């Protein structure tokens, strides 16, 4: 028997890492299959004639089951002993008690067949052996625990994705000379250069240069922010198109990015492990089974025929064996695995099986705006020329011709709109871009300037306004906004019908948030929120007793995703958001949330049905195993009847779970 080494120290729920459990699962599968064939082959025509004798078959089953029970299930035995020592019964208590009773009784039946034969009816097939129950249940539980380990591992992936935002080195400027140094050697007060396309290494303040900086990791908004001397910068944000010199003000664990990482870590650590329905059932089922087994032993020892001790022992063990949770062990994992497969077909990837279970009870949805409700990219929504006879298309064509050489997101949106309208773009000369101010170019002999709109009475307060000037004369305004996804309104209406309270949380302005909230008839909104505030809003709703789902797509959503009971990320979003989420919508379509809710409710209902089927079997089998029919008919538990009943129980659970493959979403 292999003792756990330092590399198998518990990392989650008292169990080691998935990479430690995985080889044990493969071995358990490889050994359990032949055990099942040897044990159940007698009931299958065409196989029974090729099986060895009952005695040889028994020893083969023992040899194959022993490594499964002791090596593959070693960590479960440890959890069982801990639950006994601390008087905290759970699924492991029930599982190992049943499998242990099955294994040790079957071994005793092989070693002392004549002694035990006096206390059991075994007919032509020999003494009852339950090695297949011990092997198969251990294998099933291993599979379930590996699924949970994979869900837990998403936290590490989220943190790694966040840490990757900070560059490994920084360009430090000393006495006019530039040197590359590891990030951990940057100190407060150092002067650092950040080139176009690089991530900001630490928090600081611009001392020289101008650029547009993508701060979506903080705000979630796709619009870059113009930065000039004196403006603050945050580590992990992306410098778009200009060279900047910054003075480091916060480094290492003091940066805003490091604080976001800590928020994710703390949220995940504070989240209690999912208490499965089967665990809650085990809290009362284990003491009941133990009491019945003890009562069975006492009654047979006191009132049973001779040899009373053997009869008492065999029938008490029979109670533990028949209570062995074969169907109970299948009830939850088979439904979850089937539900996960059905979700994948519908574009809902389940990364945390527990999230699928918890979503069925959720009633509050906190949802990000940019990239979730909206497309995440700006587009032209209105064009208003000045009163000088210029048409909207003509104004757009001039602006797009000037912006054609710019990489700014607003410039690309203007050009894309012109292309979609099949407008002809004129060649531009003397192009000049000023970060934070706009661009200028000469087109057909006229100087065109596109930049911040002047103070006008254009009624587009919820949009980004771009002004166009021709030879210094104001020519009109182009309004850009991040439009709602085509399917958003219908998805929100359906979620309301399903009983969800929906609140939008966004880093965008209050005016834009208010307009979208009114258009979608949301139950509330919060504008201008930071990553920490998003997480706080999740906790605030949970403190009110609400079951909270958070849906987002950005790096700034990672702390809130980690804190929510159920986290949903858009498949089109950032790696950090996807890594923090329990569910991922492949197409980034909000109708996927509706599908996920329907799937979760169907899956939970299926699990409850499976548990009912499993307990019907136990409820009927335990009294027979205890000897309830002996005073009337002289019957004790027949091994063939027990084997058939256990098989039918498992088949009924699996068949019911497979119905999820056709559930309508």
């Amino acid at each position: 028997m292999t003792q756990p080494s330092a590399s198998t120290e518990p990392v989650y729920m008292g169990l080691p890492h998935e990479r430690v459990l995985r080889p044990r699962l493969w071995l358990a599968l490889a050994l359990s299959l032949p055990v099942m064939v040897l044990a159940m082959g007698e009931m299958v025509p065409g196989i029974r004639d090729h099986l060895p004798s009952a005695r040889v078959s028994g020893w083969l089953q023992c040899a194959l089951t022993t490594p499964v029970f002791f090596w593959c299930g070693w960590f479960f035995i440890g959890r069982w002993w801990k639950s006994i020592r601390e008087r905290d019964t759970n699924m492991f208590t029930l599982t190992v008690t049943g499998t242990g009773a099955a294994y040790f009784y079957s071994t005793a039946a092989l070693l002392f067949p004549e002694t035990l034969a006096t206390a059991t009816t075994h007919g032509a097939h020999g003494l009852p052996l339950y090695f297949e129950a011990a092997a198969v249940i251990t294998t099933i539980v291993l599979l379930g625990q590996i699924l949970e380990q994979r869900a837990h591992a998403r936290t590490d992936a989220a943190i790694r994705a966040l840490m990757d935002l900070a560059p490994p080195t920084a360009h430090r400027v000393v006495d006019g000379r530039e040197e590359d140094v590891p990030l951990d050697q940057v100190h407060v007060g150092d002067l650092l250069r950040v080139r176009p396309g690089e991530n900001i290494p630490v928090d600081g303040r611009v001392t020289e240069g101008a650029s547009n900086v993508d701060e979506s990791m903080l705000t979630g908004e796709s619009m870059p922010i113009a930065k000039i001397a004196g403006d603050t910068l945050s580590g992990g944000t992306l410098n778009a198109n200009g060279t900047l010199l910054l003075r480091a003000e916060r480094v290492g664990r003091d940066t805003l990015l490091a604080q976001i990482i800590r928020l994710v870590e703390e949220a995940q650590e504070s989240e209690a492990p999912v208490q499965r329905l089967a665990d809650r059932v085990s809290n009362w089922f284990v003491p009941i089974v133990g009491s019945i087994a003890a009562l069975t032993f006492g009654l047979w020892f006191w009132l049973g025929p001779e040899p009373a001790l053997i009869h008492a022992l065999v029938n008490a063990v029979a109670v533990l064996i028949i209570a062995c949770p074969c169907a109970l062990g299948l009830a939850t994992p088979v439904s979850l695995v089937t539900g996960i497969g059905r979700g994948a077909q519908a574009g809902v990837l389940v990364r945390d099986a527990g999230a699928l279970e918890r979503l069925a009870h959720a009633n509050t949805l906190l949802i990000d705006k940019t990239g979730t409700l909206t497309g995440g990219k700006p587009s032209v929504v209105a064009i208003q020329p000045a009163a000088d006879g210029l048409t909207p298309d003509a104004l757009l064509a001039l602006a797009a011709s000037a912006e054609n050489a710019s990489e700014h997101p607003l410039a690309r949106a203007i050009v894309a709109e012109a292309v979609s309208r099949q407008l002809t773009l004129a060649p531009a000369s003397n192009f000049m871009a000023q970060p934070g101010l706009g661009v200028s170019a000469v087109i057909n002999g006229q100087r065109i300037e596109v930049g911040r709109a002047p103070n006008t009475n254009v009624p587009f307060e919820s949009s980004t306004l771009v002004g166009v000037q021709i030879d210094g004369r104001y020519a009109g305004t182009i309004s850009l906004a991040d439009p709602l996804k085509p399917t958003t309104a219908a998805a929100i209406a359906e979620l309301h019908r399903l009983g969800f309270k929906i609140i939008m949380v966004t880093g965008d302005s209050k005016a834009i948030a208010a307009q979208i909230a009114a258009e979608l008839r949301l139950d509330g909104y919060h504008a201008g929120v930071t990553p920490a505030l998003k997480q706080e809003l999740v906790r605030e709703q949970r403190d009110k007793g609400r079951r909270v789902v958070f849906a987002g797509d950005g790096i700034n959503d990672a702390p809130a995703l980690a804190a929510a009971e159920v986290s949903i990320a858009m498949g089109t979003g950032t790696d950090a958001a996807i890594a923090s989420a329990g569910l991922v919508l492949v197409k980034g379509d909000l109708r996927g949330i509706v599908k996920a809710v329907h799937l979760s409710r169907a899956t939970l209902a299926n699990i409850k049905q499976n548990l009912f089927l499993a307990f019907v079997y136990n409820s009927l089998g335990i009294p027979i195993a205890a000897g309830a029919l002996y005073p009337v008919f002289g019957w004790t538990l027949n091994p063939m009847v027990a084997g058939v009943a256990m098989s039918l129980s498992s088949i009924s659970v699996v068949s019911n779970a497979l119905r999820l493959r056709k559930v309508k979403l």
Side-chain angles (χ1 to χ4, degrees), residues 454-657:
N455 293 327
T456 66
N457 294 322
V458 179
F460 299 133
E461 67 168 346
S462 63
S463 302
T464 299
L465 304 181
V466 172
V468 182
Q469 296 188 59
I470 302 175
D471 290 332
R473 175 177 50 86
Y474 173 69
T477 302
I478 299 175
S479 177
L480 298 100
D482 183 8
L484 293 172
K485 294 178 180 178
T487 57
T488 293
I492 293 295
E494 179 63 14
L495 287 168
H496 272 137
R497 192 189 69 78
L498 290 171
F500 277 83
K501 175 183 178 182
I502 305 174
I503 301 171
M504 178 177 63
V505 289
T506 176
D508 212 338
S509 68
K510 184 176 181 180
I512 294 176
Q515 180 192 21
I516 291 178
E519 184 177 348
L520 295 175
R521 298 181 180 179
L522 302 181
D523 299 295
Y525 70 89
H526 297 273
V529 296
T530 62
L533 183 55
K534 284 187 178 184
Q535 188 184 77
E536 185 59 34
L537 290 170
V538 170
R539 287 175 171 161
E540 182 181 300
Q541 290 293 324
R542 293 186 68 173
D543 290 343
K544 292 178 181 178
R546 309 290 295 181
R547 301 290 184 85
V548 181
V549 179
F550 189 92
D553 78 321
I555 295 167
N556 64 314
D557 297 322
L561 288 165
E565 289 178 278
V566 180
S567 50
I568 301 177
M570 304 298 110
T572 53
T574 63
D575 290 344
I578 292 173
S580 299
L583 305 176
V584 178
L585 308 184
V586 175
K587 297 180 180 179
D589 187 338
L590 279 189
R591 288 176 301 184
I593 298 182
V594 176
K595 293 178 181 179
V597 172
H598 286 304
L599 178 64
S600 70
R601 292 180 180 179
T603 301
L604 186 62
N606 196 271
I607 290 173
K608 290 180 178 179
Q609 293 163 5
N610 284 348
L611 290 173
F612 173 77
L613 292 172
F615 277 102
V616 164
Y617 159 71
N618 287 117
S619 299
L620 294 175
I622 288 176
I624 298 174
L629 300 180
Y630 185 80
V632 180
F633 301 103
W635 294 350
T636 54
L637 185 67
N638 186 288
M640 290 302 297
V641 174
V644 171
M646 189 175 292
S647 299
L648 290 176
S649 174
S650 299
I651 290 170
S652 66
V653 165
V654 173
S655 300
N656 185 57

Side-chain angles (χ1 to χ4, degrees), residues 259-491:
Q259 293 173 28
I260 293 175
I261 292 172
R262 283 201 297 275
L263 287 174
V264 175
E265 291 174 332
E266 291 167 3
Q268 201 67 33
E269 288 172 1
S270 64
E271 184 180 15
V274 181
Q275 187 181 25
R276 300 284 187 201
L277 187 57
D279 282 342
R280 296 196 294 271
V281 170
S282 298
N283 285 335
W284 57 265
F285 187 68
V286 171
I288 289 176
V289 170
S291 300
I292 293 174
L295 180 62
T296 299
F297 181 89
L299 289 175
W300 277 93
F301 184 73
W302 180 37
L303 302 174
E306 292 296 332
L309 178 61
I310 298 298
H311 279 94
L313 179 63
V314 168
N315 285 282
V317 170
V319 169
L320 296 177
I321 292 173
I322 206 69
C324 193
C326 189
L328 184 61
L330 283 169
T332 297
V334 171
S335 293
L336 287 175
V337 169
T338 307
I340 289 169
R342 178 66 184 93
Q345 292 176 344
V348 179
L349 299 184
V350 180
R351 304 184 68 250
D352 177 3
L356 189 63
E357 204 175 333
R358 295 190 296 273
L359 182 58
H361 301 294
N363 53 25
T364 301
L365 173 64
L366 267 63
I367 192 164
D368 178 46
K369 177 185 75 71
T370 305
T372 306
L373 295 172
T374 67
K377 294 182 179 180
S379 63
V380 174
V381 295
I383 304 171
Q384 185 168 358
D388 59 358
L390 200 65
T391 66
D393 279 357
L395 180 65
L396 177 63
L398 284 174
S401 298
E403 293 274 29
N404 201 22
S406 174
E407 294 298 322
H408 195 284
L410 295 182
R412 304 324 303 164
I414 290 172
V415 173
E417 180 67 17
V419 171
S420 70
R421 297 190 184 196
Q422 298 183 335
L423 303 179
T424 301
L425 303 187
S429 60
N430 298 328
F431 174 82
M432 182 180 298
Q434 295 179 286
L437 298 177
V439 303
S440 63
V442 175
I443 300 171
N444 296 328
Q446 296 177 305
R447 184 159 193 81
I448 308 300
E449 295 175 272
V450 184
R452 294 180 180 178
N455 293 327
T456 66
N457 294 322
V458 179
F460 299 133
E461 67 168 346
S462 63
S463 302
T464 299
L465 304 181
V466 172
V468 182
Q469 296 188 59
I470 302 175
D471 290 332
R473 175 177 50 86
Y474 173 69
T477 302
I478 299 175
S479 177
L480 298 100
D482 183 8
L484 293 172
K485 294 178 180 178
T487 57
T488 293

Side-chain angles (χ1 to χ4, degrees), residues 149-350:
Q149 289 289 331
R150 289 184 174 177
H152 182 67
R154 65 190 172 93
T155 310
D156 297 332
I159 293 171
R160 284 195 301 272
L162 288 169
M163 294 178 68
D164 287 344
L165 293 173
T169 60
H171 312 304
R172 184 163 59 191
V173 179
V174 180
D175 298 330
R177 293 182 293 102
E178 186 177 309
E179 60 179 2
D180 288 348
V181 296
L183 194 60
D184 58 7
Q185 294 183 17
V186 174
H187 304 288
V188 173
D190 284 353
L191 191 63
L192 307 175
R193 188 186 306 280
V194 185
R195 301 188 180 97
E198 294 182 340
N199 287 81
I200 310 296
V202 297
D203 295 356
R205 193 174 298 274
V206 179
T207 61
E208 183 181 319
S211 182
N212 293 297
V213 176
D214 180 355
E215 294 189 338
S216 58
M217 63 156 285
L218 303 177
T219 64
E221 303 310 310
S222 57
M223 304 288 190
I225 308 299
K227 298 289 185 179
I228 58 175
D231 289 341
T232 58
L233 298 170
S234 296
T237 56
L238 178 65
N239 181 30
N241 52 10
T243 298
L244 296 172
L245 280 178
L246 71 93
R247 184 75 65 182
E249 294 183 343
R250 288 191 298 272
V251 301
R253 292 182 58 82
D254 296 328
T255 64
L256 189 56
L257 176 60
Q259 293 173 28
I260 293 175
I261 292 172
R262 283 201 297 275
L263 287 174
V264 175
E265 291 174 332
E266 291 167 3
Q268 201 67 33
E269 288 172 1
S270 64
E271 184 180 15
V274 181
Q275 187 181 25
R276 300 284 187 201
L277 187 57
D279 282 342
R280 296 196 294 271
V281 170
S282 298
N283 285 335
W284 57 265
F285 187 68
V286 171
I288 289 176
V289 170
S291 300
I292 293 174
L295 180 62
T296 299
F297 181 89
L299 289 175
W300 277 93
F301 184 73
W302 180 37
L303 302 174
E306 292 296 332
L309 178 61
I310 298 298
H311 279 94
L313 179 63
V314 168
N315 285 282
V317 170
V319 169
L320 296 177
I321 292 173
I322 206 69
C324 193
C326 189
L328 184 61
L330 283 169
T332 297
V334 171
S335 293
L336 287 175
V337 169
T338 307
I340 289 169
R342 178 66 184 93
Q345 292 176 344
V348 179
L349 299 184
V350 180

